[in-house]
Amino acid sequence: MSDPTTVCITGTVTRSELKYLASGMAITEFGVAVNERVKNKDTGKWEDGDASFFDCTVFGDMAENVAESIDKGTRVIVKGRLKMDSWEDKETGAKRTKIKVIVDDMGPELRWATAQVQKITRSDQTQGGGYQQQAPAADPNPY
């Protein structure tokens, strides 16, 4: 068996939804739009070209972190594995497929933005749900 195909995409979040399975595991599904930038030969200015849209899924504690951290319009970098889903269309009976990204790592894209990282701790009593913010460390030299 070969290793899964790994991809890295940088783009803009188009939607985000946090759900929970019956087991309590968190799942966040979100979309990322990647716009091609092309230089207009006549004007010399950069313009938006074709856009590609990617469906992404993240599980567990990271799903909660993602749901808490990203909104529509957030620029992100996503690294993950490609997975093909197959199903039968209920109306036509036709076989359908869709490729999505199972997210392993992601973060904000910092070319035109800043981010503040805040560590969190999770309660051992919760299964895939709930977290508490870690108190900021006291400044040993406040002056």
Side-chain angles (χ1 to χ4, degrees):
M1 180 187 213
S2 65
D3 289 332
T5 302
T6 300
V7 296
C8 185
I9 57 174
T10 301
T12 305
V13 174
T14 60
R15 60 183 169 72
S16 176
E17 180 182 11
L18 172 65
K19 303 181 216 178
Y20 290 91
L21 298 176
S23 67
M25 178 182 279
I27 297 176
T28 296
E29 296 178 323
F30 61 98
V32 176
V34 177
N35 293 318
E36 180 182 345
R37 299 282 290 165
V38 293
K39 194 168 191 177
N40 184 316
K41 292 178 184 176
D42 297 331
T43 65
K45 293 184 180 180
W46 288 94
E47 299 174 351
D48 285 334
D50 294 333
S52 298
F53 298 91
F54 297 90
D55 291 325
C56 302
T57 303
V58 60
F59 297 94
D61 292 342
M62 188 173 166
E64 291 180 326
N65 293 349
V66 168
E68 182 76 21
S69 302
I70 66 169
D71 295 310
K72 183 177 179 177
T74 303
R75 295 272 305 168
V76 294
I77 300 170
V78 177
K79 185 183 120 200
R81 300 165 274 125
L82 296 180
K83 181 177 186 299
M84 183 171 13
D85 285 343
S86 300
W87 71 95
E88 191 173 293
D89 188 294
K90 292 179 182 177
E91 293 179 15
T92 65
K95 188 157 181 131
R96 306 281 312 244
T97 60
K98 178 187 212 177
I99 296 176
K100 64 181 178 179
V101 178
I102 304 299
V103 178
D104 293 320
D105 296 302
M106 75 176 285
E109 194 274 320
L110 300 177
R111 185 178 303 237
W112 295 290
T114 61
Q116 182 177 0
V117 177
Q118 184 173 9
K119 291 185 178 185
I120 58 173
T121 58
R122 298 201 186 275
S123 169
D124 290 336
Q125 282 89 24
T126 63
Q127 290 184 335
Y131 63 87
Q132 299 172 341
Q133 291 181 333
Q134 188 174 21
D139 186 349
N141 186 4
Y143 302 110

